[in-house]
Amino acid sequence: MTDEQFLQQAKQSLIYSAESGVFTWAVSKQGHKKAGDIAGFKRSDGYVRIKVCQRAVWAHRLAWAWSNGKWPEWQIDHINGDPSDNRLVNLRDVPAAINAQNARKARSRKSGGSLLGAHWCKVWKRWKSSIMTRGVQRHLGWFDSEEQAHAAYVAAKRQLHAGCTI
C-alpha cells in the first residue's frame, strides 16, 4: 500500500479535528473501538501513536498529511514544544536542524542544572552558558545563578537559531 493509499484508507477510518488536534474513530472497529472514541495512545514521552489499517503512525505526521494532502518532507516540529498537541497551527515541516533548535528543556545530565543553556562548573563554582551555532560553540558568560545563565542562553537562541520559537 502506498502512502497515498494509506492516507485515503485512514481518512475513511478516522476523523481529524485541526482545531483540537485529536483523531477519533469514524466507525466502530471489532467491538473495542467505537465510533467517536479517541484514536491512538499517548506514550510516556507525550507523542501520540495511532494504529490504523494495520500500520502504526505518529499522530503529528498523520495530521500534517491529512491537512496538506501529502506526507511531510522533513520532521514535524511541535512549535509549542508539547508533543501531544497535534493541532495543525502547532505543527510545521522542518529539517532536523531546525527541529533541534526548538528544544525547550535541558537534557538530563550529571553536571547539574535543569534549565536550558545553564551548566554548573565545579572548578569555578559558577554557572556558565554557551550555545552551538553552525558547528561553533559560543561562550555566553559566567553567572551567579542558573536563571541568569538560562536567560543569556534564551536571548542568544532567539537571535541565532532560526527554528527557535521560545
Side-chain angles (χ1 to χ4, degrees):
M1 176 182 304
T2 67
D3 285 344
E4 290 75 23
Q5 290 171 330
F6 170 75
L7 183 57
Q8 290 308 313
Q9 290 286 332
K11 284 187 173 190
Q12 292 174 3
S13 300
L14 297 166
I15 298 169
Y16 171 64
S17 167
E19 292 79 31
S20 69
V22 174
F23 283 94
T24 55
W25 292 106
V27 293
S28 297
K29 298 274 187 182
Q30 301 172 351
H32 65 283
K33 296 175 187 171
K34 294 185 171 79
D37 286 352
I38 293 175
F41 67 96
K42 184 167 32 170
R43 296 178 0 148
S44 60
D45 60 5
Y47 288 96
V48 177
R49 193 91 162 142
I50 300 172
K51 187 169 184 183
V52 60
C53 306
Q54 305 300 315
R55 183 169 157 186
V57 64
W58 297 111
H60 55 280
R61 293 186 65 79
L62 181 58
W64 180 265
W66 189 287
S67 301
N68 292 286
K70 63 179 183 171
W71 290 92
E73 186 176 346
W74 295 302
Q75 294 182 354
I76 296 300
D77 178 36
H78 291 84
I79 297 168
N80 69 3
D82 179 355
S84 66
D85 183 353
N86 294 312
R87 294 174 298 131
L88 187 58
V89 298
N90 188 46
L91 304 176
R92 62 182 180 170
D93 186 13
V94 297
I98 299 293
N99 193 12
Q101 290 172 355
N102 200 23
R104 293 175 175 268
K105 294 180 183 174
R107 289 191 196 120
S108 172
R109 58 185 183 270
K110 294 178 184 176
S111 64
S114 60
L115 296 177
L116 198 59
H119 308 276
W120 178 250
C121 178
K122 291 180 185 177
V123 174
W124 294 100
K125 296 188 178 14
R126 294 190 73 194
W127 291 93
K128 75 174 187 173
S129 185
S130 59
I131 191 166
M132 179 76 76
T133 304
R134 295 185 180 125
V136 177
Q137 187 80 15
R138 296 181 184 201
H139 177 73
L140 300 175
W142 295 98
F143 302 91
D144 293 326
S145 74
E146 182 181 16
E147 291 77 13
Q148 291 171 331
H150 171 69
Y153 177 81
V154 170
K157 185 173 187 58
R158 287 179 178 151
Q159 286 186 324
L160 300 170
H161 288 173
C164 177
T165 60
I166 57 174

